[in-house]
Amino acid sequence: MASRDLEREGGAKNRGNGYYPSSSASYHVDSSEKQWTSWLVPMFVVANVAMFIVVMYVNNCPKNNLSFEGGCVAKFLGRLSFEPLKENPLFGPSSSTLEKLGALEWTKVVHGHQGWRLISCIWLHAGVIHLLANMLSLVFIGIRLEQQFGFVRVGVIYLLSGLGGSILSSLFIQSNISVGASGALFGLLGAMLSELLTNWTIYANKAAALITLVVIIAINLAVGILPHVDNFAHIGGFLTGFLLGFVLLLRPQFGWVERHQLPPDARVKSKHKAYQYVFWVASVVLLIVGFTLGLVMLFKGENGNDHCDWCHYLSCVPTKRWKCGN
């Protein structure tokens, strides 16, 4: 792999962090709608924290840090102590440790036939700061969604969005390693947006909710144009989650929910609106085409920048204060 920047953990592209809403607008449903108990999202948090501890144990800074100036940070933690801040300002492991344990690296995915890195990278984090920001965001977004839609649908959106983010990241960023759950988190944000749009007719205060959600998404994506942040993972995760929301998060219309309370001769409304079916079909087609095209291009060794000479600005915009890498 080519050069490695310092930040993401020390030499990786950091799937940046941001501020996320905890829920969408209020909606009209009857009291019989099932409220799920959230257990999958807390398990994701536990898994991410446990994985970070394992990474730090393997990293073993006191024994392995021989190349950077300065000693390990928080030496009282023993082999769990952090790399020097000159290598990793996020209080975490070295780039080489993350690479060894499954960070997303284009060369290893394409030429080393290690496609599993497309998934393993979303369970790794660059440092304590990176981990805390992502896990807080996951709790605020994920628990509410899981309570409303159940662990299966939220779990599918989370994992497939993480995969979608990794694929797009690999197509455009081929000179750095990449870690973080932000692609999956942006997928949940995208699903919240499409859920609001596809279930538009059953919501109250929907215009305010839509504006708030769009502003929050825009701010978080804008943060991704800073150096050392893997915004392609954010964009790929967001687009995947946005399409999955149309497929998995449909709600029945209010009139259909109340059909059992209507007189026998009353006309029952259809379960879903026509536009919901249109969104569903279009999203399924786009998901199949997008994943197929992305994976084919990736494993053929294609560089997305060869097909889009301006796309690199989506992940970093150079200014007088900083320059963007390759």
PDB file of all heavy atoms in Angstrom, residues 291-323:
ATOM      1  N   PHE A 291     -24.600  -3.039  -5.851  1.00  0.00           N
ATOM      2  CA  PHE A 291     -23.684  -3.992  -5.222  1.00  0.00           C
ATOM      3  C   PHE A 291     -22.969  -4.842  -6.270  1.00  0.00           C
ATOM      4  O   PHE A 291     -21.765  -5.102  -6.148  1.00  0.00           O
ATOM      5  CB  PHE A 291     -24.439  -4.890  -4.242  1.00  0.00           C
ATOM      6  CG  PHE A 291     -24.534  -4.331  -2.856  1.00  0.00           C
ATOM      7  CD1 PHE A 291     -25.693  -3.714  -2.412  1.00  0.00           C
ATOM      8  CD2 PHE A 291     -23.452  -4.398  -1.990  1.00  0.00           C
ATOM      9  CE1 PHE A 291     -25.782  -3.181  -1.134  1.00  0.00           C
ATOM     10  CE2 PHE A 291     -23.525  -3.875  -0.709  1.00  0.00           C
ATOM     11  CZ  PHE A 291     -24.698  -3.254  -0.270  1.00  0.00           C
ATOM     12  N   THR A 292     -23.701  -5.273  -7.295  1.00  0.00           N
ATOM     13  CA  THR A 292     -23.071  -6.094  -8.332  1.00  0.00           C
ATOM     14  C   THR A 292     -21.993  -5.317  -9.066  1.00  0.00           C
ATOM     15  O   THR A 292     -20.858  -5.796  -9.230  1.00  0.00           O
ATOM     16  CB  THR A 292     -24.130  -6.582  -9.339  1.00  0.00           C
ATOM     17  OG1 THR A 292     -25.137  -7.320  -8.651  1.00  0.00           O
ATOM     18  CG2 THR A 292     -23.492  -7.459 -10.404  1.00  0.00           C
ATOM     19  N   LEU A 293     -22.319  -4.106  -9.488  1.00  0.00           N
ATOM     20  CA  LEU A 293     -21.356  -3.285 -10.210  1.00  0.00           C
ATOM     21  C   LEU A 293     -20.157  -2.939  -9.337  1.00  0.00           C
ATOM     22  O   LEU A 293     -19.001  -3.007  -9.777  1.00  0.00           O
ATOM     23  CB  LEU A 293     -22.042  -2.006 -10.704  1.00  0.00           C
ATOM     24  CG  LEU A 293     -21.202  -1.043 -11.547  1.00  0.00           C
ATOM     25  CD1 LEU A 293     -20.749  -1.725 -12.829  1.00  0.00           C
ATOM     26  CD2 LEU A 293     -22.010   0.216 -11.871  1.00  0.00           C
ATOM     27  N   GLY A 294     -20.423  -2.574  -8.084  1.00  0.00           N
ATOM     28  CA  GLY A 294     -19.345  -2.208  -7.188  1.00  0.00           C
ATOM     29  C   GLY A 294     -18.386  -3.358  -6.925  1.00  0.00           C
ATOM     30  O   GLY A 294     -17.159  -3.182  -6.971  1.00  0.00           O
ATOM     31  N   LEU A 295     -18.917  -4.536  -6.655  1.00  0.00           N
ATOM     32  CA  LEU A 295     -18.065  -5.689  -6.376  1.00  0.00           C
ATOM     33  C   LEU A 295     -17.282  -6.131  -7.602  1.00  0.00           C
ATOM     34  O   LEU A 295     -16.105  -6.502  -7.506  1.00  0.00           O
ATOM     35  CB  LEU A 295     -18.913  -6.845  -5.836  1.00  0.00           C
ATOM     36  CG  LEU A 295     -19.448  -6.659  -4.411  1.00  0.00           C
ATOM     37  CD1 LEU A 295     -20.456  -7.755  -4.065  1.00  0.00           C
ATOM     38  CD2 LEU A 295     -18.298  -6.664  -3.397  1.00  0.00           C
ATOM     39  N   VAL A 296     -17.920  -6.087  -8.773  1.00  0.00           N
ATOM     40  CA  VAL A 296     -17.220  -6.462 -10.006  1.00  0.00           C
ATOM     41  C   VAL A 296     -16.065  -5.508 -10.274  1.00  0.00           C
ATOM     42  O   VAL A 296     -14.938  -5.928 -10.574  1.00  0.00           O
ATOM     43  CB  VAL A 296     -18.201  -6.486 -11.200  1.00  0.00           C
ATOM     44  CG1 VAL A 296     -17.434  -6.602 -12.515  1.00  0.00           C
ATOM     45  CG2 VAL A 296     -19.179  -7.644 -11.065  1.00  0.00           C
ATOM     46  N   MET A 297     -16.333  -4.205 -10.156  1.00  0.00           N
ATOM     47  CA  MET A 297     -15.274  -3.215 -10.371  1.00  0.00           C
ATOM     48  C   MET A 297     -14.148  -3.374  -9.357  1.00  0.00           C
ATOM     49  O   MET A 297     -12.964  -3.288  -9.699  1.00  0.00           O
ATOM     50  CB  MET A 297     -15.850  -1.801 -10.287  1.00  0.00           C
ATOM     51  CG  MET A 297     -16.742  -1.407 -11.445  1.00  0.00           C
ATOM     52  SD  MET A 297     -17.377   0.280 -11.263  1.00  0.00           S
ATOM     53  CE  MET A 297     -15.841   1.239 -11.331  1.00  0.00           C
ATOM     54  N   LEU A 298     -14.517  -3.633  -8.107  1.00  0.00           N
ATOM     55  CA  LEU A 298     -13.521  -3.751  -7.055  1.00  0.00           C
ATOM     56  C   LEU A 298     -12.580  -4.917  -7.301  1.00  0.00           C
ATOM     57  O   LEU A 298     -11.348  -4.770  -7.284  1.00  0.00           O
ATOM     58  CB  LEU A 298     -14.216  -3.910  -5.695  1.00  0.00           C
ATOM     59  CG  LEU A 298     -13.307  -4.177  -4.491  1.00  0.00           C
ATOM     60  CD1 LEU A 298     -12.312  -3.033  -4.299  1.00  0.00           C
ATOM     61  CD2 LEU A 298     -14.135  -4.376  -3.231  1.00  0.00           C
ATOM     62  N   PHE A 299     -13.140  -6.098  -7.554  1.00  0.00           N
ATOM     63  CA  PHE A 299     -12.290  -7.278  -7.691  1.00  0.00           C
ATOM     64  C   PHE A 299     -11.616  -7.374  -9.060  1.00  0.00           C
ATOM     65  O   PHE A 299     -10.739  -8.208  -9.253  1.00  0.00           O
ATOM     66  CB  PHE A 299     -13.100  -8.541  -7.367  1.00  0.00           C
ATOM     67  CG  PHE A 299     -13.395  -8.672  -5.902  1.00  0.00           C
ATOM     68  CD1 PHE A 299     -14.666  -8.424  -5.400  1.00  0.00           C
ATOM     69  CD2 PHE A 299     -12.394  -9.014  -5.014  1.00  0.00           C
ATOM     70  CE1 PHE A 299     -14.933  -8.525  -4.038  1.00  0.00           C
ATOM     71  CE2 PHE A 299     -12.650  -9.125  -3.646  1.00  0.00           C
ATOM     72  CZ  PHE A 299     -13.909  -8.876  -3.165  1.00  0.00           C
ATOM     73  N   LYS A 300     -12.011  -6.503  -9.987  1.00  0.00           N
ATOM     74  CA  LYS A 300     -11.259  -6.367 -11.231  1.00  0.00           C
ATOM     75  C   LYS A 300     -10.092  -5.396 -11.060  1.00  0.00           C
ATOM     76  O   LYS A 300      -9.292  -5.213 -11.972  1.00  0.00           O
ATOM     77  CB  LYS A 300     -12.173  -5.869 -12.350  1.00  0.00           C
ATOM     78  CG  LYS A 300     -13.106  -6.936 -12.909  1.00  0.00           C
ATOM     79  CD  LYS A 300     -13.999  -6.362 -13.996  1.00  0.00           C
ATOM     80  CE  LYS A 300     -13.188  -5.891 -15.191  1.00  0.00           C
ATOM     81  NZ  LYS A 300     -14.061  -5.363 -16.279  1.00  0.00           N
ATOM     82  N   GLY A 301     -10.011  -4.763  -9.884  1.00  0.00           N
ATOM     83  CA  GLY A 301      -8.919  -3.845  -9.621  1.00  0.00           C
ATOM     84  C   GLY A 301      -9.140  -2.455 -10.179  1.00  0.00           C
ATOM     85  O   GLY A 301      -8.189  -1.681 -10.337  1.00  0.00           O
ATOM     86  N   GLU A 302     -10.391  -2.094 -10.465  1.00  0.00           N
ATOM     87  CA  GLU A 302     -10.700  -0.779 -11.027  1.00  0.00           C
ATOM     88  C   GLU A 302     -10.485   0.315  -9.975  1.00  0.00           C
ATOM     89  O   GLU A 302     -10.708   0.105  -8.781  1.00  0.00           O
ATOM     90  CB  GLU A 302     -12.149  -0.726 -11.505  1.00  0.00           C
ATOM     91  CG  GLU A 302     -12.476  -1.692 -12.639  1.00  0.00           C
ATOM     92  CD  GLU A 302     -12.146  -1.114 -13.996  1.00  0.00           C
ATOM     93  OE1 GLU A 302     -11.807   0.094 -14.057  1.00  0.00           O
ATOM     94  OE2 GLU A 302     -12.232  -1.860 -14.994  1.00  0.00           O
ATOM     95  N   ASN A 303     -10.083   1.480 -10.440  1.00  0.00           N
ATOM     96  CA  ASN A 303      -9.964   2.662  -9.590  1.00  0.00           C
ATOM     97  C   ASN A 303     -11.096   3.609  -9.948  1.00  0.00           C
ATOM     98  O   ASN A 303     -11.184   4.076 -11.090  1.00  0.00           O
ATOM     99  CB  ASN A 303      -8.611   3.339  -9.794  1.00  0.00           C
ATOM    100  CG  ASN A 303      -8.365   4.460  -8.794  1.00  0.00           C
ATOM    101  OD1 ASN A 303      -9.293   5.123  -8.330  1.00  0.00           O
ATOM    102  ND2 ASN A 303      -7.110   4.686  -8.451  1.00  0.00           N
ATOM    103  N   GLY A 304     -11.968   3.891  -8.993  1.00  0.00           N
ATOM    104  CA  GLY A 304     -13.110   4.745  -9.272  1.00  0.00           C
ATOM    105  C   GLY A 304     -12.727   6.129  -9.756  1.00  0.00           C
ATOM    106  O   GLY A 304     -13.472   6.759 -10.523  1.00  0.00           O
ATOM    107  N   ASN A 305     -11.560   6.604  -9.338  1.00  0.00           N
ATOM    108  CA  ASN A 305     -11.127   7.939  -9.764  1.00  0.00           C
ATOM    109  C   ASN A 305     -10.838   8.006 -11.257  1.00  0.00           C
ATOM    110  O   ASN A 305     -10.867   9.086 -11.840  1.00  0.00           O
ATOM    111  CB  ASN A 305      -9.877   8.341  -8.970  1.00  0.00           C
ATOM    112  CG  ASN A 305     -10.167   8.510  -7.488  1.00  0.00           C
ATOM    113  OD1 ASN A 305     -10.881   9.412  -7.074  1.00  0.00           O
ATOM    114  ND2 ASN A 305      -9.617   7.607  -6.681  1.00  0.00           N
ATOM    115  N   ASP A 306     -10.569   6.856 -11.886  1.00  0.00           N
ATOM    116  CA  ASP A 306     -10.344   6.842 -13.336  1.00  0.00           C
ATOM    117  C   ASP A 306     -11.633   7.098 -14.101  1.00  0.00           C
ATOM    118  O   ASP A 306     -11.595   7.510 -15.258  1.00  0.00           O
ATOM    119  CB  ASP A 306      -9.760   5.490 -13.761  1.00  0.00           C
ATOM    120  CG  ASP A 306      -8.369   5.262 -13.194  1.00  0.00           C
ATOM    121  OD1 ASP A 306      -7.706   6.261 -12.844  1.00  0.00           O
ATOM    122  OD2 ASP A 306      -7.958   4.087 -13.084  1.00  0.00           O
ATOM    123  N   HIS A 307     -12.759   6.838 -13.474  1.00  0.00           N
ATOM    124  CA  HIS A 307     -14.055   7.022 -14.120  1.00  0.00           C
ATOM    125  C   HIS A 307     -14.752   8.300 -13.659  1.00  0.00           C
ATOM    126  O   HIS A 307     -15.811   8.657 -14.187  1.00  0.00           O
ATOM    127  CB  HIS A 307     -14.954   5.824 -13.826  1.00  0.00           C
ATOM    128  CG  HIS A 307     -14.361   4.512 -14.232  1.00  0.00           C
ATOM    129  ND1 HIS A 307     -14.390   4.037 -15.534  1.00  0.00           N
ATOM    130  CD2 HIS A 307     -13.689   3.574 -13.511  1.00  0.00           C
ATOM    131  CE1 HIS A 307     -13.789   2.866 -15.600  1.00  0.00           C
ATOM    132  NE2 HIS A 307     -13.354   2.560 -14.376  1.00  0.00           N
ATOM    133  N   CYS A 308     -14.191   8.961 -12.682  1.00  0.00           N
ATOM    134  CA  CYS A 308     -14.790  10.191 -12.146  1.00  0.00           C
ATOM    135  C   CYS A 308     -13.665  11.080 -11.637  1.00  0.00           C
ATOM    136  O   CYS A 308     -13.155  10.878 -10.531  1.00  0.00           O
ATOM    137  CB  CYS A 308     -15.780   9.856 -11.024  1.00  0.00           C
ATOM    138  SG  CYS A 308     -16.571  11.302 -10.274  1.00  0.00           S
ATOM    139  N   ASP A 309     -13.263  12.053 -12.466  1.00  0.00           N
ATOM    140  CA  ASP A 309     -12.077  12.839 -12.116  1.00  0.00           C
ATOM    141  C   ASP A 309     -12.342  13.916 -11.075  1.00  0.00           C
ATOM    142  O   ASP A 309     -11.402  14.593 -10.635  1.00  0.00           O
ATOM    143  CB  ASP A 309     -11.467  13.464 -13.379  1.00  0.00           C
ATOM    144  CG  ASP A 309     -12.465  14.309 -14.156  1.00  0.00           C
ATOM    145  OD1 ASP A 309     -13.585  14.521 -13.640  1.00  0.00           O
ATOM    146  OD2 ASP A 309     -12.134  14.748 -15.271  1.00  0.00           O
ATOM    147  N   TRP A 310     -13.592  14.097 -10.650  1.00  0.00           N
ATOM    148  CA  TRP A 310     -13.902  15.098  -9.625  1.00  0.00           C
ATOM    149  C   TRP A 310     -14.364  14.461  -8.312  1.00  0.00           C
ATOM    150  O   TRP A 310     -14.509  15.157  -7.312  1.00  0.00           O
ATOM    151  CB  TRP A 310     -14.996  16.045 -10.107  1.00  0.00           C
ATOM    152  CG  TRP A 310     -16.274  15.354 -10.518  1.00  0.00           C
ATOM    153  CD1 TRP A 310     -16.609  14.939 -11.767  1.00  0.00           C
ATOM    154  CD2 TRP A 310     -17.369  14.961  -9.659  1.00  0.00           C
ATOM    155  NE1 TRP A 310     -17.835  14.315 -11.756  1.00  0.00           N
ATOM    156  CE2 TRP A 310     -18.334  14.326 -10.480  1.00  0.00           C
ATOM    157  CE3 TRP A 310     -17.616  15.108  -8.295  1.00  0.00           C
ATOM    158  CZ2 TRP A 310     -19.515  13.819  -9.970  1.00  0.00           C
ATOM    159  CZ3 TRP A 310     -18.815  14.597  -7.780  1.00  0.00           C
ATOM    160  CH2 TRP A 310     -19.745  13.968  -8.617  1.00  0.00           C
ATOM    161  N   CYS A 311     -14.551  13.169  -8.312  1.00  0.00           N
ATOM    162  CA  CYS A 311     -15.127  12.506  -7.130  1.00  0.00           C
ATOM    163  C   CYS A 311     -14.231  12.601  -5.906  1.00  0.00           C
ATOM    164  O   CYS A 311     -14.723  12.505  -4.779  1.00  0.00           O
ATOM    165  CB  CYS A 311     -15.423  11.040  -7.443  1.00  0.00           C
ATOM    166  SG  CYS A 311     -16.898  10.799  -8.474  1.00  0.00           S
ATOM    167  N   HIS A 312     -12.908  12.770  -6.112  1.00  0.00           N
ATOM    168  CA  HIS A 312     -12.025  12.846  -4.947  1.00  0.00           C
ATOM    169  C   HIS A 312     -12.355  14.036  -4.059  1.00  0.00           C
ATOM    170  O   HIS A 312     -12.032  14.043  -2.867  1.00  0.00           O
ATOM    171  CB  HIS A 312     -10.557  12.901  -5.384  1.00  0.00           C
ATOM    172  CG  HIS A 312     -10.213  14.090  -6.220  1.00  0.00           C
ATOM    173  ND1 HIS A 312     -10.473  14.136  -7.576  1.00  0.00           N
ATOM    174  CD2 HIS A 312      -9.631  15.275  -5.908  1.00  0.00           C
ATOM    175  CE1 HIS A 312     -10.052  15.299  -8.055  1.00  0.00           C
ATOM    176  NE2 HIS A 312      -9.558  16.006  -7.066  1.00  0.00           N
ATOM    177  N   TYR A 313     -13.027  15.059  -4.622  1.00  0.00           N
ATOM    178  CA  TYR A 313     -13.425  16.211  -3.813  1.00  0.00           C
ATOM    179  C   TYR A 313     -14.528  15.857  -2.818  1.00  0.00           C
ATOM    180  O   TYR A 313     -14.782  16.601  -1.868  1.00  0.00           O
ATOM    181  CB  TYR A 313     -13.899  17.353  -4.702  1.00  0.00           C
ATOM    182  CG  TYR A 313     -12.791  17.985  -5.514  1.00  0.00           C
ATOM    183  CD1 TYR A 313     -12.816  17.948  -6.906  1.00  0.00           C
ATOM    184  CD2 TYR A 313     -11.722  18.620  -4.906  1.00  0.00           C
ATOM    185  CE1 TYR A 313     -11.805  18.516  -7.661  1.00  0.00           C
ATOM    186  CE2 TYR A 313     -10.700  19.196  -5.642  1.00  0.00           C
ATOM    187  CZ  TYR A 313     -10.753  19.140  -7.017  1.00  0.00           C
ATOM    188  OH  TYR A 313      -9.744  19.707  -7.757  1.00  0.00           O
ATOM    189  N   LEU A 314     -15.201  14.732  -3.018  1.00  0.00           N
ATOM    190  CA  LEU A 314     -16.245  14.313  -2.088  1.00  0.00           C
ATOM    191  C   LEU A 314     -15.666  13.880  -0.758  1.00  0.00           C
ATOM    192  O   LEU A 314     -16.362  13.867   0.259  1.00  0.00           O
ATOM    193  CB  LEU A 314     -17.061  13.163  -2.696  1.00  0.00           C
ATOM    194  CG  LEU A 314     -17.895  13.497  -3.928  1.00  0.00           C
ATOM    195  CD1 LEU A 314     -18.538  12.231  -4.479  1.00  0.00           C
ATOM    196  CD2 LEU A 314     -18.964  14.533  -3.599  1.00  0.00           C
ATOM    197  N   SER A 315     -14.384  13.511  -0.740  1.00  0.00           N
ATOM    198  CA  SER A 315     -13.766  13.038   0.485  1.00  0.00           C
ATOM    199  C   SER A 315     -12.781  14.033   1.080  1.00  0.00           C
ATOM    200  O   SER A 315     -12.496  13.977   2.273  1.00  0.00           O
ATOM    201  CB  SER A 315     -13.047  11.711   0.234  1.00  0.00           C
ATOM    202  OG  SER A 315     -12.636  11.131   1.444  1.00  0.00           O
ATOM    203  N   CYS A 316     -12.268  14.947   0.264  1.00  0.00           N
ATOM    204  CA  CYS A 316     -11.345  15.949   0.789  1.00  0.00           C
ATOM    205  C   CYS A 316     -11.262  17.121  -0.175  1.00  0.00           C
ATOM    206  O   CYS A 316     -11.041  16.929  -1.371  1.00  0.00           O
ATOM    207  CB  CYS A 316      -9.961  15.338   0.996  1.00  0.00           C
ATOM    208  SG  CYS A 316      -8.764  16.501   1.717  1.00  0.00           S
ATOM    209  N   VAL A 317     -11.462  18.307   0.345  1.00  0.00           N
ATOM    210  CA  VAL A 317     -11.357  19.524  -0.461  1.00  0.00           C
ATOM    211  C   VAL A 317     -10.138  20.301   0.032  1.00  0.00           C
ATOM    212  O   VAL A 317     -10.094  20.730   1.185  1.00  0.00           O
ATOM    213  CB  VAL A 317     -12.617  20.391  -0.324  1.00  0.00           C
ATOM    214  CG1 VAL A 317     -12.444  21.696  -1.096  1.00  0.00           C
ATOM    215  CG2 VAL A 317     -13.842  19.624  -0.829  1.00  0.00           C
ATOM    216  N   PRO A 318      -9.124  20.470  -0.818  1.00  0.00           N
ATOM    217  CA  PRO A 318      -7.910  21.172  -0.375  1.00  0.00           C
ATOM    218  C   PRO A 318      -8.170  22.650  -0.126  1.00  0.00           C
ATOM    219  O   PRO A 318      -8.964  23.288  -0.820  1.00  0.00           O
ATOM    220  CB  PRO A 318      -6.943  20.960  -1.552  1.00  0.00           C
ATOM    221  CG  PRO A 318      -7.826  20.730  -2.727  1.00  0.00           C
ATOM    222  CD  PRO A 318      -9.030  20.029  -2.214  1.00  0.00           C
ATOM    223  N   THR A 319      -7.513  23.200   0.877  1.00  0.00           N
ATOM    224  CA  THR A 319      -7.607  24.628   1.205  1.00  0.00           C
ATOM    225  C   THR A 319      -6.198  25.141   1.504  1.00  0.00           C
ATOM    226  O   THR A 319      -5.218  24.405   1.417  1.00  0.00           O
ATOM    227  CB  THR A 319      -8.505  24.865   2.428  1.00  0.00           C
ATOM    228  OG1 THR A 319      -7.852  24.337   3.589  1.00  0.00           O
ATOM    229  CG2 THR A 319      -9.866  24.182   2.265  1.00  0.00           C
ATOM    230  N   LYS A 320      -6.108  26.396   1.895  1.00  0.00           N
ATOM    231  CA  LYS A 320      -4.827  26.964   2.282  1.00  0.00           C
ATOM    232  C   LYS A 320      -4.304  26.342   3.570  1.00  0.00           C
ATOM    233  O   LYS A 320      -3.104  26.363   3.842  1.00  0.00           O
ATOM    234  CB  LYS A 320      -4.954  28.475   2.459  1.00  0.00           C
ATOM    235  CG  LYS A 320      -5.247  29.235   1.165  1.00  0.00           C
ATOM    236  CD  LYS A 320      -5.335  30.721   1.419  1.00  0.00           C
ATOM    237  CE  LYS A 320      -5.627  31.485   0.126  1.00  0.00           C
ATOM    238  NZ  LYS A 320      -5.729  32.957   0.371  1.00  0.00           N
ATOM    239  N   ARG A 321      -5.213  25.791   4.373  1.00  0.00           N
ATOM    240  CA  ARG A 321      -4.817  25.231   5.669  1.00  0.00           C
ATOM    241  C   ARG A 321      -4.376  23.777   5.578  1.00  0.00           C
ATOM    242  O   ARG A 321      -3.686  23.278   6.453  1.00  0.00           O
ATOM    243  CB  ARG A 321      -5.973  25.348   6.676  1.00  0.00           C
ATOM    244  CG  ARG A 321      -6.305  26.779   7.047  1.00  0.00           C
ATOM    245  CD  ARG A 321      -7.426  26.819   8.073  1.00  0.00           C
ATOM    246  NE  ARG A 321      -7.671  28.192   8.536  1.00  0.00           N
ATOM    247  CZ  ARG A 321      -7.051  28.769   9.527  1.00  0.00           C
ATOM    248  NH1 ARG A 321      -6.112  28.104  10.183  1.00  0.00           N
ATOM    249  NH2 ARG A 321      -7.343  30.002   9.874  1.00  0.00           N
ATOM    250  N   TRP A 322      -4.830  23.054   4.567  1.00  0.00           N
ATOM    251  CA  TRP A 322      -4.438  21.653   4.444  1.00  0.00           C
ATOM    252  C   TRP A 322      -4.429  21.230   2.992  1.00  0.00           C
ATOM    253  O   TRP A 322      -5.034  21.843   2.129  1.00  0.00           O
ATOM    254  CB  TRP A 322      -5.375  20.746   5.249  1.00  0.00           C
ATOM    255  CG  TRP A 322      -6.798  20.734   4.767  1.00  0.00           C
ATOM    256  CD1 TRP A 322      -7.298  20.140   3.653  1.00  0.00           C
ATOM    257  CD2 TRP A 322      -7.931  21.346   5.417  1.00  0.00           C
ATOM    258  NE1 TRP A 322      -8.654  20.319   3.544  1.00  0.00           N
ATOM    259  CE2 TRP A 322      -9.063  21.072   4.627  1.00  0.00           C
ATOM    260  CE3 TRP A 322      -8.080  22.088   6.593  1.00  0.00           C
ATOM    261  CZ2 TRP A 322     -10.335  21.505   4.964  1.00  0.00           C
ATOM    262  CZ3 TRP A 322      -9.354  22.525   6.910  1.00  0.00           C
ATOM    263  CH2 TRP A 322     -10.447  22.241   6.121  1.00  0.00           C
ATOM    264  N   LYS A 323      -3.719  20.157   2.752  1.00  0.00           N
ATOM    265  CA  LYS A 323      -3.665  19.546   1.436  1.00  0.00           C
ATOM    266  C   LYS A 323      -4.270  18.148   1.514  1.00  0.00           C
ATOM    267  O   LYS A 323      -4.289  17.528   2.563  1.00  0.00           O
ATOM    268  CB  LYS A 323      -2.215  19.464   0.936  1.00  0.00           C
ATOM    269  CG  LYS A 323      -1.568  20.820   0.693  1.00  0.00           C
ATOM    270  CD  LYS A 323      -0.162  20.651   0.187  1.00  0.00           C
ATOM    271  CE  LYS A 323       0.492  22.016  -0.063  1.00  0.00           C
ATOM    272  NZ  LYS A 323       1.897  21.864  -0.573  1.00  0.00           N
TER     273      LYS A 323
END
